Structures are given as structure tokens and as C-alpha cells.
PDB file of all heavy atoms in Angstrom:
ATOM      1  N   GLY A   7     194.193 174.766  73.058  1.00 96.00           N
ATOM      2  CA  GLY A   7     193.107 175.244  73.894  1.00 96.00           C
ATOM      3  C   GLY A   7     193.474 176.304  74.912  1.00 96.00           C
ATOM      4  O   GLY A   7     192.585 176.842  75.581  1.00 96.00           O
ATOM      5  N   GLY A   8     194.746 176.624  75.058  1.00 97.00           N
ATOM      6  CA  GLY A   8     195.142 177.659  75.997  1.00 97.00           C
ATOM      7  C   GLY A   8     194.716 179.034  75.524  1.00 97.00           C
ATOM      8  O   GLY A   8     194.342 179.231  74.368  1.00 97.00           O
ATOM      9  N   GLY A   9     194.773 180.001  76.441  1.00 97.00           N
ATOM     10  CA  GLY A   9     194.400 181.356  76.092  1.00 97.00           C
ATOM     11  C   GLY A   9     194.134 182.210  77.303  1.00 97.00           C
ATOM     12  O   GLY A   9     194.509 181.864  78.426  1.00 97.00           O
ATOM     13  N   LEU A  10     193.468 183.341  77.073  1.00 98.00           N
ATOM     14  CA  LEU A  10     193.129 184.310  78.102  1.00 98.00           C
ATOM     15  C   LEU A  10     191.657 184.193  78.452  1.00 98.00           C
ATOM     16  O   LEU A  10     190.801 184.173  77.559  1.00 98.00           O
ATOM     17  CB  LEU A  10     193.444 185.721  77.614  1.00 98.00           C
ATOM     18  CG  LEU A  10     193.041 186.878  78.523  1.00 98.00           C
ATOM     19  CD1 LEU A  10     193.826 186.831  79.830  1.00 98.00           C
ATOM     20  CD2 LEU A  10     193.266 188.197  77.808  1.00 98.00           C
ATOM     21  N   VAL A  11     191.356 184.134  79.753  1.00 98.00           N
ATOM     22  CA  VAL A  11     189.978 184.020  80.206  1.00 98.00           C
ATOM     23  C   VAL A  11     189.807 184.825  81.490  1.00 98.00           C
ATOM     24  O   VAL A  11     190.752 184.987  82.261  1.00 98.00           O
ATOM     25  CB  VAL A  11     189.593 182.538  80.426  1.00 98.00           C
ATOM     26  CG1 VAL A  11     190.409 181.924  81.553  1.00 98.00           C
ATOM     27  CG2 VAL A  11     188.106 182.383  80.691  1.00 98.00           C
ATOM     28  N   GLN A  12     188.600 185.345  81.720  1.00 98.00           N
ATOM     29  CA  GLN A  12     188.317 186.104  82.929  1.00 98.00           C
ATOM     30  C   GLN A  12     188.064 185.182  84.115  1.00 98.00           C
ATOM     31  O   GLN A  12     187.658 184.029  83.935  1.00 98.00           O
ATOM     32  CB  GLN A  12     187.102 187.007  82.712  1.00 98.00           C
ATOM     33  CG  GLN A  12     187.331 188.109  81.696  1.00 98.00           C
ATOM     34  CD  GLN A  12     186.144 189.036  81.573  1.00 98.00           C
ATOM     35  OE1 GLN A  12     185.035 188.693  81.982  1.00 98.00           O
ATOM     36  NE2 GLN A  12     186.375 190.208  81.012  1.00 98.00           N
ATOM     37  N   PRO A  13     188.305 185.663  85.341  1.00 98.00           N
ATOM     38  CA  PRO A  13     187.991 184.848  86.521  1.00 98.00           C
ATOM     39  C   PRO A  13     186.542 184.380  86.498  1.00 98.00           C
ATOM     40  O   PRO A  13     185.634 185.141  86.161  1.00 98.00           O
ATOM     41  CB  PRO A  13     188.259 185.800  87.687  1.00 98.00           C
ATOM     42  CG  PRO A  13     189.286 186.748  87.160  1.00 98.00           C
ATOM     43  CD  PRO A  13     188.932 186.943  85.710  1.00 98.00           C
ATOM     44  N   GLY A  14     186.335 183.108  86.860  1.00 98.00           N
ATOM     45  CA  GLY A  14     185.015 182.510  86.812  1.00 98.00           C
ATOM     46  C   GLY A  14     184.668 181.873  85.487  1.00 98.00           C
ATOM     47  O   GLY A  14     183.660 181.165  85.387  1.00 98.00           O
ATOM     48  N   GLY A  15     185.487 182.096  84.483  1.00 98.00           N
ATOM     49  CA  GLY A  15     185.243 181.551  83.169  1.00 98.00           C
ATOM     50  C   GLY A  15     185.720 180.121  83.033  1.00 98.00           C
ATOM     51  O   GLY A  15     186.207 179.505  83.974  1.00 98.00           O
ATOM     52  N   SER A  16     185.587 179.597  81.812  1.00 98.00           N
ATOM     53  CA  SER A  16     185.939 178.215  81.521  1.00 98.00           C
ATOM     54  C   SER A  16     186.876 178.130  80.332  1.00 98.00           C
ATOM     55  O   SER A  16     186.888 179.000  79.458  1.00 98.00           O
ATOM     56  CB  SER A  16     184.682 177.386  81.222  1.00 98.00           C
ATOM     57  OG  SER A  16     183.819 177.329  82.339  1.00 98.00           O
ATOM     58  N   LEU A  17     187.641 177.054  80.301  1.00 98.00           N
ATOM     59  CA  LEU A  17     188.570 176.795  79.216  1.00 98.00           C
ATOM     60  C   LEU A  17     188.776 175.292  79.126  1.00 98.00           C
ATOM     61  O   LEU A  17     188.775 174.602  80.154  1.00 98.00           O
ATOM     62  CB  LEU A  17     189.894 177.505  79.475  1.00 98.00           C
ATOM     63  CG  LEU A  17     190.798 177.868  78.299  1.00 98.00           C
ATOM     64  CD1 LEU A  17     190.084 178.823  77.347  1.00 98.00           C
ATOM     65  CD2 LEU A  17     192.080 178.508  78.812  1.00 98.00           C
ATOM     66  N   SER A  18     188.961 174.783  77.915  1.00 98.00           N
ATOM     67  CA  SER A  18     189.185 173.357  77.712  1.00 98.00           C
ATOM     68  C   SER A  18     190.509 173.140  76.986  1.00 98.00           C
ATOM     69  O   SER A  18     190.735 173.714  75.922  1.00 98.00           O
ATOM     70  CB  SER A  18     188.038 172.744  76.904  1.00 98.00           C
ATOM     71  OG  SER A  18     188.227 171.353  76.733  1.00 98.00           O
ATOM     72  N   LEU A  19     191.375 172.318  77.569  1.00 98.00           N
ATOM     73  CA  LEU A  19     192.653 171.975  76.971  1.00 98.00           C
ATOM     74  C   LEU A  19     192.591 170.567  76.391  1.00 98.00           C
ATOM     75  O   LEU A  19     192.021 169.668  77.006  1.00 98.00           O
ATOM     76  CB  LEU A  19     193.776 172.032  78.003  1.00 98.00           C
ATOM     77  CG  LEU A  19     193.947 173.334  78.782  1.00 98.00           C
ATOM     78  CD1 LEU A  19     195.138 173.212  79.728  1.00 98.00           C
ATOM     79  CD2 LEU A  19     194.126 174.511  77.846  1.00 98.00           C
ATOM     80  N   SER A  20     193.208 170.378  75.228  1.00 98.00           N
ATOM     81  CA  SER A  20     193.253 169.070  74.588  1.00 98.00           C
ATOM     82  C   SER A  20     194.689 168.710  74.261  1.00 98.00           C
ATOM     83  O   SER A  20     195.527 169.575  73.999  1.00 98.00           O
ATOM     84  CB  SER A  20     192.410 169.051  73.310  1.00 98.00           C
ATOM     85  OG  SER A  20     191.043 169.233  73.599  1.00 98.00           O
ATOM     86  N   CYS A  21     194.967 167.405  74.251  1.00 98.00           N
ATOM     87  CA  CYS A  21     196.291 166.894  73.927  1.00 98.00           C
ATOM     88  C   CYS A  21     196.134 165.617  73.128  1.00 98.00           C
ATOM     89  O   CYS A  21     195.435 164.695  73.556  1.00 98.00           O
ATOM     90  CB  CYS A  21     197.090 166.633  75.204  1.00 98.00           C
ATOM     91  SG  CYS A  21     198.689 165.831  74.953  1.00 98.00           S
ATOM     92  N   ALA A  22     196.798 165.549  71.977  1.00 97.00           N
ATOM     93  CA  ALA A  22     196.747 164.379  71.118  1.00 97.00           C
ATOM     94  C   ALA A  22     198.145 163.784  70.962  1.00 97.00           C
ATOM     95  O   ALA A  22     199.088 164.494  70.610  1.00 97.00           O
ATOM     96  CB  ALA A  22     196.183 164.744  69.753  1.00 97.00           C
ATOM     97  N   ALA A  23     198.274 162.490  71.224  1.00 97.00           N
ATOM     98  CA  ALA A  23     199.537 161.782  71.055  1.00 97.00           C
ATOM     99  C   ALA A  23     199.587 161.113  69.689  1.00 97.00           C
ATOM    100  O   ALA A  23     198.604 160.519  69.248  1.00 97.00           O
ATOM    101  CB  ALA A  23     199.714 160.734  72.149  1.00 97.00           C
ATOM    102  N   SER A  24     200.735 161.218  69.026  1.00 96.00           N
ATOM    103  CA  SER A  24     200.909 160.590  67.724  1.00 96.00           C
ATOM    104  C   SER A  24     202.314 160.005  67.613  1.00 96.00           C
ATOM    105  O   SER A  24     203.220 160.407  68.334  1.00 96.00           O
ATOM    106  CB  SER A  24     200.664 161.588  66.593  1.00 96.00           C
ATOM    107  OG  SER A  24     201.587 162.659  66.651  1.00 96.00           O
ATOM    108  N   GLY A  25     202.494 159.061  66.688  1.00 94.00           N
ATOM    109  CA  GLY A  25     203.782 158.419  66.484  1.00 94.00           C
ATOM    110  C   GLY A  25     203.702 156.922  66.685  1.00 94.00           C
ATOM    111  O   GLY A  25     202.651 156.313  66.494  1.00 94.00           O
ATOM    112  N   THR A  26     204.833 156.319  67.067  1.00 91.00           N
ATOM    113  CA  THR A  26     204.905 154.878  67.274  1.00 91.00           C
ATOM    114  C   THR A  26     204.404 154.543  68.675  1.00 91.00           C
ATOM    115  O   THR A  26     205.123 154.701  69.660  1.00 91.00           O
ATOM    116  CB  THR A  26     206.335 154.367  67.078  1.00 91.00           C
ATOM    117  OG1 THR A  26     206.802 154.736  65.777  1.00 91.00           O
ATOM    118  CG2 THR A  26     206.383 152.854  67.205  1.00 91.00           C
ATOM    119  N   ILE A  27     203.168 154.066  68.749  1.00 94.00           N
ATOM    120  CA  ILE A  27     202.504 153.822  70.030  1.00 94.00           C
ATOM    121  C   ILE A  27     201.861 152.446  70.018  1.00 94.00           C
ATOM    122  O   ILE A  27     201.037 152.148  69.153  1.00 94.00           O
ATOM    123  CB  ILE A  27     201.432 154.893  70.307  1.00 94.00           C
ATOM    124  CG1 ILE A  27     202.051 156.288  70.376  1.00 94.00           C
ATOM    125  CG2 ILE A  27     200.691 154.568  71.609  1.00 94.00           C
ATOM    126  CD1 ILE A  27     201.034 157.403  70.424  1.00 94.00           C
ATOM    127  N   LEU A  28     202.229 151.621  70.989  1.00 92.00           N
ATOM    128  CA  LEU A  28     201.524 150.366  71.207  1.00 92.00           C
ATOM    129  C   LEU A  28     200.271 150.638  72.029  1.00 92.00           C
ATOM    130  O   LEU A  28     199.166 150.263  71.633  1.00 92.00           O
ATOM    131  CB  LEU A  28     202.424 149.346  71.899  1.00 92.00           C
ATOM    132  CG  LEU A  28     201.810 147.971  72.164  1.00 92.00           C
ATOM    133  CD1 LEU A  28     201.423 147.306  70.857  1.00 92.00           C
ATOM    134  CD2 LEU A  28     202.773 147.092  72.948  1.00 92.00           C
ATOM    135  N   PHE A  29     200.447 151.286  73.163  1.00 93.00           N
ATOM    136  CA  PHE A  29     199.335 151.779  73.956  1.00 93.00           C
ATOM    137  C   PHE A  29     199.871 152.779  74.966  1.00 93.00           C
ATOM    138  O   PHE A  29     201.073 152.863  75.201  1.00 93.00           O
ATOM    139  CB  PHE A  29     198.561 150.647  74.652  1.00 93.00           C
ATOM    140  CG  PHE A  29     199.304 149.984  75.775  1.00 93.00           C
ATOM    141  CD1 PHE A  29     199.132 150.401  77.089  1.00 93.00           C
ATOM    142  CD2 PHE A  29     200.163 148.928  75.530  1.00 93.00           C
ATOM    143  CE1 PHE A  29     199.808 149.776  78.125  1.00 93.00           C
ATOM    144  CE2 PHE A  29     200.842 148.306  76.557  1.00 93.00           C
ATOM    145  CZ  PHE A  29     200.659 148.737  77.854  1.00 93.00           C
ATOM    146  N   ILE A  30     198.966 153.542  75.551  1.00 96.00           N
ATOM    147  CA  ILE A  30     199.315 154.532  76.556  1.00 96.00           C
ATOM    148  C   ILE A  30     198.668 154.143  77.870  1.00 96.00           C
ATOM    149  O   ILE A  30     197.463 153.896  77.927  1.00 96.00           O
ATOM    150  CB  ILE A  30     198.861 155.939  76.140  1.00 96.00           C
ATOM    151  CG1 ILE A  30     199.489 156.323  74.800  1.00 96.00           C
ATOM    152  CG2 ILE A  30     199.224 156.957  77.218  1.00 96.00           C
ATOM    153  CD1 ILE A  30     199.013 157.656  74.263  1.00 96.00           C
ATOM    154  N   ASN A  31     199.482 154.081  78.929  1.00 95.00           N
ATOM    155  CA  ASN A  31     198.947 153.799  80.250  1.00 95.00           C
ATOM    156  C   ASN A  31     198.269 155.066  80.797  1.00 95.00           C
ATOM    157  O   ASN A  31     197.178 155.424  80.365  1.00 95.00           O
ATOM    158  CB  ASN A  31     200.059 153.297  81.175  1.00 95.00           C
ATOM    159  CG  ASN A  31     199.526 152.799  82.508  1.00 95.00           C
ATOM    160  OD1 ASN A  31     198.321 152.619  82.685  1.00 95.00           O
ATOM    161  ND2 ASN A  31     200.420 152.571  83.453  1.00 95.00           N
ATOM    162  N   ALA A  32     198.924 155.762  81.702  1.00 97.00           N
ATOM    163  CA  ALA A  32     198.332 156.967  82.274  1.00 97.00           C
ATOM    164  C   ALA A  32     198.620 158.186  81.412  1.00 97.00           C
ATOM    165  O   ALA A  32     199.645 158.267  80.731  1.00 97.00           O
ATOM    166  CB  ALA A  32     198.853 157.188  83.693  1.00 97.00           C
ATOM    167  N   MET A  33     197.720 159.146  81.446  1.00 97.00           N
ATOM    168  CA  MET A  33     197.913 160.453  80.846  1.00 97.00           C
ATOM    169  C   MET A  33     197.565 161.504  81.899  1.00 97.00           C
ATOM    170  O   MET A  33     196.835 161.215  82.851  1.00 97.00           O
ATOM    171  CB  MET A  33     197.042 160.647  79.605  1.00 97.00           C
ATOM    172  CG  MET A  33     197.264 159.609  78.528  1.00 97.00           C
ATOM    173  SD  MET A  33     196.333 159.947  77.006  1.00 97.00           S
ATOM    174  CE  MET A  33     197.358 161.232  76.278  1.00 97.00           C
ATOM    175  N   GLY A  34     198.085 162.707  81.713  1.00 98.00           N
ATOM    176  CA  GLY A  34     197.799 163.723  82.700  1.00 98.00           C
ATOM    177  C   GLY A  34     198.168 165.120  82.256  1.00 98.00           C
ATOM    178  O   GLY A  34     198.671 165.336  81.150  1.00 98.00           O
ATOM    179  N   TRP A  35     197.882 166.057  83.143  1.00 98.00           N
ATOM    180  CA  TRP A  35     198.209 167.460  82.941  1.00 98.00           C
ATOM    181  C   TRP A  35     198.986 167.978  84.138  1.00 98.00           C
ATOM    182  O   TRP A  35     198.624 167.701  85.292  1.00 98.00           O
ATOM    183  CB  TRP A  35     196.950 168.310  82.754  1.00 98.00           C
ATOM    184  CG  TRP A  35     196.265 168.089  81.446  1.00 98.00           C
ATOM    185  CD1 TRP A  35     195.252 167.228  81.182  1.00 98.00           C
ATOM    186  CD2 TRP A  35     196.557 168.759  80.217  1.00 98.00           C
ATOM    187  NE1 TRP A  35     194.886 167.312  79.862  1.00 98.00           N
ATOM    188  CE2 TRP A  35     195.667 168.241  79.244  1.00 98.00           C
ATOM    189  CE3 TRP A  35     197.473 169.740  79.839  1.00 98.00           C
ATOM    190  CZ2 TRP A  35     195.678 168.678  77.925  1.00 98.00           C
ATOM    191  CZ3 TRP A  35     197.477 170.169  78.522  1.00 98.00           C
ATOM    192  CH2 TRP A  35     196.593 169.638  77.586  1.00 98.00           C
ATOM    193  N   TYR A  36     200.044 168.724  83.862  1.00 98.00           N
ATOM    194  CA  TYR A  36     200.830 169.426  84.865  1.00 98.00           C
ATOM    195  C   TYR A  36     200.805 170.912  84.536  1.00 98.00           C
ATOM    196  O   TYR A  36     200.461 171.303  83.417  1.00 98.00           O
ATOM    197  CB  TYR A  36     202.276 168.928  84.880  1.00 98.00           C
ATOM    198  CG  TYR A  36     202.463 167.512  85.385  1.00 98.00           C
ATOM    199  CD1 TYR A  36     201.976 166.422  84.673  1.00 98.00           C
ATOM    200  CD2 TYR A  36     203.147 167.266  86.572  1.00 98.00           C
ATOM    201  CE1 TYR A  36     202.156 165.132  85.133  1.00 98.00           C
ATOM    202  CE2 TYR A  36     203.337 165.975  87.033  1.00 98.00           C
ATOM    203  CZ  TYR A  36     202.841 164.919  86.313  1.00 98.00           C
ATOM    204  OH  TYR A  36     203.034 163.630  86.771  1.00 98.00           O
TER     205      TYR A  36
END
């Protein structure tokens, strides 16, 4: 979802976790 956008515009980032997972507590963006 990253890219180039003009000031005042909008963008949506997505993240999908895969692999050996029992469960996920917190998730976040840095």
C-alpha cells in the first residue's frame, strides 16, 4: 500500500502475518 501521494491526500497500508501462529497479541505500525 505504500507509494507517492500529494499533501492532503490519503493512503492505506496493509500488513498480513503468515506462518506458524497460535495467536497475535498487539499489532502496530512504526
Side-chain angles (χ1 to χ4, degrees):
L10 175 65
V11 65
Q12 294 184 342
S16 297
L17 205 61
S18 182
L19 305 182
S20 295
C21 174
S24 62
T26 304
I27 299 171
L28 181 61
F29 71 94
I30 302 176
N31 188 12
M33 303 185 78
W35 289 93
Y36 291 67

